[in-house]
């Protein structure tokens, strides 16, 4: 850099600091011979710039360069690696590059200032990655729209968050437990309106501890950024309120997600890829199918910063025909759900085509009574047709041939006419049982068409006292269902059934009913035993025979007597031990153990 260019560059920085009410003062000398630094800029808290107002001194380096035309919002400039190492030792620097555009006719010149703040984290990365090179070109940003005071103030604030002792201690970073992370840049101006400008700027990622202490992790330019909000969309006279995320990539592409269901990829040259990938609910997916249909028909959709208008769709007619078929499936399912009192806003959160396929099977089987798409065995019984993490419950009636096998909705009038008979072990007696006593915990918790009111009605319509063993199995499933769902309606149903058997004469079953009612109360009371329940358990324990190991195991689990519970468990056969692990009492044991841990 020749002396005249250096003088002009230093003068430009000095003038930029001499603004009305300025809180910065340049101490930069032309021809300064200090290694790596040309001086400093003093930052004050007041324009008075008195001794007591001094906040900090910012080390600076100034370079001047003659240009034929000014650069745009950014420019690159090479920095010697030896200087970078010195800046790291000094915990940072503000580096200015001043472009000088000479007007020879007017014998005058104009200047434009570019700057770059270097902090410890980025400087360490430059040394680690490029330390063997003589120099490294980096991007500088125009000062237009900003001020030297702002540059110095943000430098001082950010430098305090990147002490060298933290930056160079990688083990320290690994040992910190972070509550959250934050990304900070000092060069992207708040009033910037062009989203793509983000990709020109460096961001430092900080891990923030629970004490609010920021630890610098890495400094880098983003590969993409995402923002989202609930917004009103208008297309072809239709209005929707959707949560929309827009992700912008450094290569110029834009990925749009609507409710995490509909995905639109926007490429340069107005090229689009539109796909419904996920299933949310019947109602929402129907709305999005309508939106896609409008897009394919050429209607405009305006998002935050991009206008989508799809022309020249490949295989447009085939695509619209497929959408119509999908709408028909969802509309039919919506109608069936409405008849059964099932909300069309139930969320499934799974692959769109997987749920669509399963709904098509349900629609076909309900409307035609067939078993297409179902895995059935030769026994009559309940089948839970999977819908993501839920299901639709059917009852399968198997005939003499596959054609005679069909499905019944277990909560329809048709099903109420079906009688289920069970035999004793010797098959000498058959007893009619409530149709719903065959339901298990999975059906009770996962089935979207479960109707507890109808189960109550079926229970009330029968003579209960002769079938306590059958009812007990179902009640245990209800308690297990609560352990899965935390839905107290399942406990209420079990309690209701048990209380219908308050006159049970057989002593062992009376003990079982009493014990399971205590289990229910223990769960309702958030896993606490009242004094009354403790008294009941102790009385049951006193009255129990010494060889009633299953009963005594259960009592001692609820009383939290681990040694006695372990003793009685050890006296059980392997089969009895295995069976206990599938009962609600085993979950009670796990809950009590976890509270101690």
């Amino acid at each position: 850099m020749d002396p005249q260019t250096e003088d002009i560059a230093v003068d430009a920085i000095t003038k930029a600091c001499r603004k009305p009410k300025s809180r910065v003062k340049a101490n930069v000398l032309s021809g300064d011979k200090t290694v790596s630094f040309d001086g400093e800029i003093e930052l004050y808290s007041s324009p008075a710039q008195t001794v007591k107002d001094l906040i900090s001194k910012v080390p600076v380096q100034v370079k001047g360069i003659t240009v034929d035309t000014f650069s745009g919002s950014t420019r690159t400039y090479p920095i010697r690696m030896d200087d970078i190492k010195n800046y790291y030792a000094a915990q940072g620097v503000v580096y200015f590059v001043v472009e000088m555009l000479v007007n020879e006719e007017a014998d005058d010149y104009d200047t434009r200032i570019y700057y770059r703040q270097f902090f410890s984290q980025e400087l360490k990365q430059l040394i680690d990655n490029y330390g063997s090179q003589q120099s490294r070109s980096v991007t500088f940003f125009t000062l237009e729209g900003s001020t030297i005071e702002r540059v110095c103030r943000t430098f001082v604030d950010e430098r305090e968050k990147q002490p060298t002792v933290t930056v160079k201690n990688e083990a320290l970073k690994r040992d910190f437990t972070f509550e959250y992370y934050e990304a900070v840049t000092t060069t992207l101006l708040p009033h910037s309106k062009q989203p793509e400008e983000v990709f020109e700027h460096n961001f430092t990622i900080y891990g923030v501890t629970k004490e609010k202490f920021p630890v610098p992790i890495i400094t880098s330019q983003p590969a993409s950024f995402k923002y989202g909000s609930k917004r009103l969309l208008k297309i072809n006279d239709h209005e929707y309120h959707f949560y929309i995320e827009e992700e912008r990539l450094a290569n110029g592409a834009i990925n749009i997600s609507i409710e995490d269901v509909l995905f639109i990829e926007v490429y340069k040259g107005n090229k689009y890829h539109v796909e419904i990938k996920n299933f949310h609910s019947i109602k929402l997916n129907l709305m999005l199918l309508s939106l896609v249909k409008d897009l394919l028909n050429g209607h405009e959709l305006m998002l935050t910063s991009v206008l989508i208008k799809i022309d020249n769709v490949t295989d447009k007619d085939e695509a619209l025909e497929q959408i119509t078929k999908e709408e028909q499936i969802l509309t039919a399912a919506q109608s069936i759900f409405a008849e059964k009192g099932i909300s069309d806003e139930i969320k499934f959160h799974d692959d769109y085509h997987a749920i669509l396929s399963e709904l098509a099977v349900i629609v076909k089987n309900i409307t035609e009574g067939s078993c297409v798409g179902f895995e059935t065995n030769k026994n009559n019984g309940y089948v839970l047709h999977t819908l993501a993490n839920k299901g639709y419950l059917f009852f399968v009636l198997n005939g003499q041939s596959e054609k005679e096998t069909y499905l019944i909705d277990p909560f329809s009038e048709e099903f109420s006419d079906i009688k289920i008979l069970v035999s004793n072990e010797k098959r000498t007696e058959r007893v009619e049982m409530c149709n719903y006593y065959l339901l298990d915990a999975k059906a009770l918790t996962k089935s979207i068409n479960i109707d507890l009111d109808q189960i109550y009605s079926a229970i009330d319509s029968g003579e209960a006292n002769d079938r306590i063993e059958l009812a007990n199995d179902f009640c245990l499933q209800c308690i297990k269902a609560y352990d899965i769902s935390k839905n107290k309606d399942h406990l209420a149903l079990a309690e209701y059934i048990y209380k219908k058997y308050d006159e049970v004469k057989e002593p062992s079953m009376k003990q079982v009913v009493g014990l399971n009612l205590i289990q229910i109360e223990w769960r309702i009371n958030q896993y606490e035993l009242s004094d009354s329940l403790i008294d009941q358990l102790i009385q049951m324990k006193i009255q129990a025979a010494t060889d009633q190991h299953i009963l005594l195991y259960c009592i001692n689990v609820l009383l939290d007597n681990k040694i006695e519970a372990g003793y009685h468990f050890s006296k059980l056969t392997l089969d009895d031990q295995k069976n206990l692990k599938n009962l609600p009492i085993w979950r009670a044991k796990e809950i009590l153990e976890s509270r101690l841990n």
Side-chain angles (χ1 to χ4, degrees):
M1 181 170 61
D2 65 81
Q4 185 178 15
T5 303
E6 182 180 0
D7 289 343
I8 293 172
V10 170
D11 185 58
I13 299 301
T14 303
K15 286 182 178 178
C17 291
R18 288 201 210 105
K19 300 289 184 183
K21 299 182 179 180
S22 174
R23 293 177 174 83
V24 288
K25 178 182 178 181
N27 293 322
V28 184
L29 300 177
S30 179
D32 186 77
K33 301 302 181 182
T34 305
V35 174
S36 301
F37 299 94
D38 287 328
E40 61 192 21
I41 295 177
E42 296 172 351
L43 176 64
Y44 293 89
S45 61
S46 165
Q49 298 187 7
T50 64
V51 173
K52 68 176 183 179
D53 297 327
L54 181 64
I55 296 174
S56 185
K57 295 181 179 182
V58 177
V60 298
Q61 173 74 293
V62 181
K63 296 292 182 182
I65 184 172
T66 303
V67 295
D68 295 328
T69 58
F70 283 134
S71 302
S73 60
T74 63
R75 67 154 296 138
T76 59
Y77 191 82
I79 303 178
R80 293 182 305 177
M81 188 55 62
D82 288 340
D83 287 331
I84 289 175
K85 292 175 181 178
N86 288 335
Y87 300 150
Y88 177 63
Q91 298 196 70
V93 69
V94 175
Y95 201 120
F96 293 101
V97 173
V98 181
E99 291 186 346
M100 183 177 67
L101 182 64
V102 178
N103 185 339
E104 294 183 355
E105 294 181 359
D107 193 24
D108 199 1
Y109 59 87
D110 292 322
T111 59
R112 178 175 289 182
I113 300 173
Y114 291 81
Y115 73 97
R116 180 67 178 263
Q117 301 149 306
F118 288 99
F119 302 103
S120 296
Q121 181 63 43
E122 182 186 7
L123 291 167
K124 182 178 183 300
Q125 290 174 205
L126 287 171
I127 294 168
D128 290 345
N129 296 327
Y130 310 106
S132 61
Q133 299 180 5
Q134 293 295 313
S135 63
R136 180 69 183 172
S137 289
V138 296
T139 301
F140 284 71
F141 302 94
T142 178
L143 192 63
E144 291 184 3
S146 186
T147 64
I148 288 184
E149 180 182 333
R150 179 187 181 278
V151 170
C152 290
R153 187 174 298 278
T154 55
F155 174 83
V156 169
D157 291 342
E158 202 66 16
R159 180 177 59 180
E160 290 180 359
K161 295 160 62 179
Q162 298 190 28
T164 304
V165 65
T166 303
V167 169
K168 69 181 181 181
N169 194 331
E170 297 297 330
L172 187 64
K173 296 180 186 181
R174 290 194 302 270
D175 293 340
F176 271 117
T177 299
F178 301 119
E179 294 289 302
Y180 60 92
Y181 295 86
E182 63 182 13
V184 177
T185 181
T186 58
T187 52
L188 182 63
L189 299 177
H191 56 262
S192 175
K193 295 182 179 180
Q194 300 300 322
E196 57 272 14
E197 286 185 20
V198 169
F199 301 112
E200 298 174 350
H201 298 264
N202 274 356
F203 287 75
T204 298
I205 306 299
Y206 290 94
V208 183
T209 68
K210 63 181 180 180
E211 295 83 12
K212 306 302 180 186
F213 179 69
V215 179
I217 306 297
I218 190 172
T219 297
S220 179
Q221 290 181 332
S224 67
F225 71 92
K226 184 185 295 185
Y227 49 92
S229 64
K230 191 87 171 182
R231 278 175 261 166
L232 172 66
L233 294 186
K234 296 182 179 181
I235 182 171
N236 189 26
D237 297 327
H238 297 142
E239 292 188 355
Y240 308 97
H241 283 90
F242 289 136
Y243 181 79
I244 301 170
E245 285 187 348
E246 295 183 36
E247 180 185 26
R248 289 183 170 268
L249 280 67
N251 63 9
I254 304 173
N255 294 331
I256 300 162
S257 165
I258 301 179
E259 294 287 353
D260 197 35
V261 173
L262 173 61
F263 296 84
I264 304 173
E265 298 173 8
V266 184
Y267 304 101
K268 291 183 178 179
N270 293 326
K271 295 182 179 180
Y272 306 92
H273 176 75
V274 180
E275 183 180 2
I276 294 180
K277 294 183 179 180
N278 297 324
F279 201 102
H280 183 279
S281 67
I282 290 176
K283 182 177 180 179
L284 188 138
N285 278 72
L286 274 171
M287 288 192 287
L288 289 173
L289 281 173
S290 176
L291 188 151
V292 172
K293 188 186 293 184
D294 286 337
L295 282 175
L296 294 180
N297 282 320
H299 296 286
E300 293 182 350
L301 177 64
M302 185 66 202
L303 297 176
T304 303
S305 58
V306 59
L307 175 66
I308 298 177
K309 189 176 188 306
I310 303 177
D311 298 314
N312 303 319
V313 179
T314 305
D315 299 326
K316 175 181 175 180
D317 292 339
E318 290 84 347
L320 289 172
E321 182 180 352
Q322 179 61 31
I323 288 175
T324 300
K325 290 179 180 178
E326 294 172 8
E327 284 180 322
Q328 289 172 346
I329 294 171
L330 294 183
T331 302
Q334 187 180 48
S335 177
I336 290 170
F337 278 28
E339 289 178 10
K340 305 297 181 184
I342 305 170
S343 171
D344 62 358
E345 296 186 53
I346 290 178
K347 298 177 179 63
F348 294 103
H349 297 302
D350 203 350
D351 176 76
Y352 170 65
H353 293 286
I355 295 296
L356 186 71
S357 176
E358 299 304 331
L359 285 173
V361 171
I362 290 172
V363 168
K364 183 176 180 62
N365 284 285
I366 288 179
T367 56
E368 300 179 9
S370 63
C371 283
V372 176
F374 275 78
E375 292 185 10
T376 61
N377 52 41
K378 294 182 179 180
N379 298 319
N380 299 324
Y382 291 100
V383 173
L384 187 65
H385 190 66
T386 302
L387 285 169
N389 62 336
K390 301 177 178 64
Y392 198 99
L393 193 65
F394 288 97
F395 192 85
V396 178
L397 277 178
N398 288 286
Q400 296 297 319
S401 66
E402 193 172 305
K403 291 183 179 179
E404 295 175 345
T405 299
Y406 64 102
L407 300 174
I408 297 177
D409 187 321
F411 303 103
S412 64
E413 291 185 11
E414 182 182 12
F415 186 68
S416 63
D417 295 331
I418 295 175
K419 305 300 179 184
I420 298 176
L421 301 176
V422 293
S423 301
N424 59 13
E425 291 183 2
K426 297 181 179 180
R427 297 184 178 273
T428 58
E429 182 184 5
R430 292 198 304 172
V431 180
E432 182 182 333
M433 68 179 291
C434 173
N435 291 358
Y436 302 113
Y437 284 173
L438 295 177
L439 290 173
D440 61 13
K442 183 178 180 181
L444 289 166
T445 55
K446 301 295 185 182
S447 173
I448 62 174
N449 60 319
I450 199 80
D451 188 338
L452 294 182
D453 289 338
Q454 189 151 334
I455 295 176
Y456 276 104
S457 297
I459 291 167
D460 288 340
S461 66
E463 293 295 330
N465 288 337
D466 295 332
R467 305 193 299 274
I468 177 59
E469 296 85 357
L470 304 175
N472 180 59
D473 290 340
F474 176 66
C475 289
L476 291 173
Q477 293 299 319
C478 290
I479 299 172
K480 287 181 67 175
Y482 169 79
D483 288 338
I484 296 170
S485 68
K486 298 299 181 285
N487 183 351
K488 290 186 177 180
D489 289 342
H490 295 134
L491 292 180
L493 177 58
E495 186 176 40
Y496 181 81
I497 295 171
Y498 277 135
K499 287 185 177 179
K500 291 177 70 69
Y501 298 95
D502 56 359
E503 296 181 1
V504 174
K505 297 177 182 178
E506 205 280 312
S508 63
M509 281 310 302
K510 192 167 186 175
Q511 291 171 330
V512 168
V513 171
L515 181 69
N516 289 339
L517 280 170
I518 292 173
Q519 281 207 71
I520 291 171
E521 287 300 314
W522 177 75
R523 285 168 166 81
I524 291 174
N525 295 336
Q526 298 182 331
Y527 313 123
E528 296 291 342
L529 288 176
S530 65
D531 291 342
S532 173
L533 293 180
I534 292 173
D535 287 343
Q536 291 180 51
L537 286 169
I538 292 174
Q539 287 300 317
M540 292 174 67
K541 184 176 178 181
I542 293 171
Q543 295 169 9
T546 55
D547 61 350
Q548 285 185 282
H549 296 299
I550 293 179
L551 177 64
L552 288 168
Y553 169 79
C554 296
I555 291 171
N556 282 293
V557 164
L558 291 172
L559 289 172
D560 206 11
N561 294 332
K562 293 183 178 58
I563 294 176
E564 288 191 52
Y567 167 78
H568 290 291
F569 186 78
S570 69
K571 297 299 182 181
L572 299 176
T573 65
L574 291 178
D575 285 342
D576 283 342
Q577 289 181 356
K578 182 178 179 181
N579 290 335
L580 268 180
K581 292 179 180 179
N582 291 319
L583 295 179
I585 194 64
W586 194 261
R587 179 58 187 150
K589 179 188 80 74
E590 293 175 336
I591 290 169
L592 289 168
E593 288 177 346
S594 66
R595 290 203 309 189
L596 288 175
N597 295 334

